[in-house]
Amino acid sequence: MKRQSVAVAAIAFTAFLIASLAAAQETAQPKLFVLHQEKARPGMTKQYEEATKEYLSLVRQHHEKLPTLQFVGMAGEDFRYSFLTPLENYGSLDKVQAGYGAVIAAVGQAKWDEMVARSGAATELIGQLIMSEYPGFSYVPAKPRLKADEERYVHMDYHYVLPGREPDAMAVAQETVELYRKKGVRDGFRLFIVQMGPEMPLLIVMSPARDAADFEEREKANEELLGAEGKELSQRAFAVLRRFETHSATIRPDLSIEPFKPKPGAGK
């Protein structure tokens, strides 16, 4: 009971924190996202990707039944596949669920189940988070170093915050954005607050780059640019964490779903 009470309290506090952030940033409404992650079994990435691409092909064929579905697919070297999906609101989840039912009906339950079984046999684990992005805590440089189509690599930092230290973590996040802006850093990052997930409170920071080597170069250059102020903020950030993890992935257009585009003449 004690463990459950602590978990409920953590969720409630995070909800309170999110509401407070919304009130503090009236002009910057948060955006909702689902981060769905799957880990392929070692030696079975080919089978996993084949099944995933078959799934994507079926969804694209019947995209009009799932018009709100879009996501960016990413593949990491640790066999982890990440799919970042924007949501209009929580009601969008119900729309997506209903849309999948329509797609399955069009494809055929037997064919769909067979595909899911092949994918499942090649999958070690599946996880999903619902998170929000507040523009005021993400950094968009005035003059980006890279163009959007050059950002094909994403480095993710998982900040597992100590329960009760969320305000301190967000204060550091706000000061980091201000410091980046003051120093004119040309590389951006996105900060997400996890609203629903197994290990809250959790903040995820995503930083784009060309590739792994480019990310390492940008980090070294920006560390020098931020100087002592940057190091002090980094120390304060780690002081409020119970755990810290990193994950990197390459953006895979072949594992992504583009926004729905109605066929010419549709609906007339």
Side-chain angles (χ1 to χ4, degrees):
M1 288 297 292
K2 183 178 180 181
R3 182 182 297 274
Q4 184 178 11
S5 298
V6 171
V8 171
I11 293 173
F13 188 87
T14 302
F16 170 77
L17 176 63
I18 290 171
S20 300
L21 292 175
Q25 298 192 40
E26 295 179 358
T27 61
Q29 294 301 312
K31 298 178 181 178
L32 281 175
F33 293 86
V34 171
L35 179 62
H36 180 90
Q37 294 183 316
E38 300 183 352
K39 195 168 185 180
R41 293 172 59 185
M44 299 191 74
T45 56
K46 181 179 180 181
Q47 180 176 331
Y48 172 83
E49 289 200 9
E50 287 177 348
T52 300
K53 289 177 181 179
E54 182 178 345
Y55 152 78
L56 293 173
S57 176
L58 293 175
V59 170
R60 293 187 186 107
Q61 290 174 34
H62 302 281
H63 206 173
E64 75 281 355
K65 302 181 187 300
L66 268 168
T68 62
L69 181 66
Q70 60 172 293
F71 55 76
V72 175
M74 298 169 275
E77 295 181 355
D78 58 353
F79 312 117
R80 190 190 313 184
Y81 292 80
S82 302
F83 305 91
L84 184 63
T85 304
L87 294 177
E88 183 178 352
N89 49 48
Y90 278 104
S92 300
L93 293 171
D94 294 330
K95 293 180 181 179
V96 170
Q97 191 65 30
Y100 272 119
V103 171
I104 294 172
V107 171
Q109 189 70 54
K111 182 177 181 178
W112 186 270
D113 289 347
E114 189 276 332
M115 176 193 66
V116 171
R118 280 189 286 111
S119 176
T123 305
E124 177 186 339
L125 59 84
I126 298 174
Q128 189 160 280
L129 306 170
I130 295 180
M131 53 196 193
S132 58
E133 178 187 19
Y134 286 81
F137 293 100
S138 294
Y139 175 69
V140 179
K143 296 181 179 180
R145 180 177 63 88
L146 300 177
K147 297 179 181 178
D149 60 0
E150 294 180 292
E151 298 176 341
R152 292 300 176 188
Y153 178 86
V154 179
H155 178 88
M156 307 179 199
D157 288 328
Y158 290 71
H159 297 252
Y160 294 90
V161 181
L162 286 164
R165 301 300 300 275
E166 295 94 331
D168 299 315
M170 298 314 300
V172 172
Q174 184 69 70
E175 291 178 45
T176 299
V177 171
E178 294 170 357
L179 180 60
Y180 269 57
R181 188 174 293 118
K182 183 179 75 172
K183 295 288 187 175
V185 177
R186 298 183 62 192
D187 295 294
F189 62 81
R190 302 174 69 181
L191 184 145
F192 299 89
I193 302 172
V194 174
Q195 294 192 20
M196 295 181 66
E199 292 195 70
M200 297 166 60
L202 169 60
L203 306 177
I204 300 177
V205 178
M206 297 189 183
S207 304
R210 286 193 183 94
D211 50 34
D214 181 64
F215 175 77
E216 293 299 327
E217 291 177 5
R218 65 161 265 181
E219 286 301 281
K220 182 178 179 180
N222 291 334
E223 182 178 346
E224 294 179 359
L225 180 61
L226 296 173
E229 292 176 274
K231 292 181 180 178
E232 190 268 338
L233 282 174
S234 180
Q235 291 172 354
R236 284 172 52 197
F238 280 107
V240 299
L241 301 184
R242 65 186 191 277
R243 192 165 84 253
F244 177 77
E245 296 176 352
T246 64
H247 169 65
S248 297
T250 299
I251 295 176
R252 292 278 299 275
D254 60 328
L255 299 180
S256 304
I257 291 288
E258 298 291 329
F260 174 65
K261 294 182 180 179
K263 296 178 182 179
K268 291 185 178 180

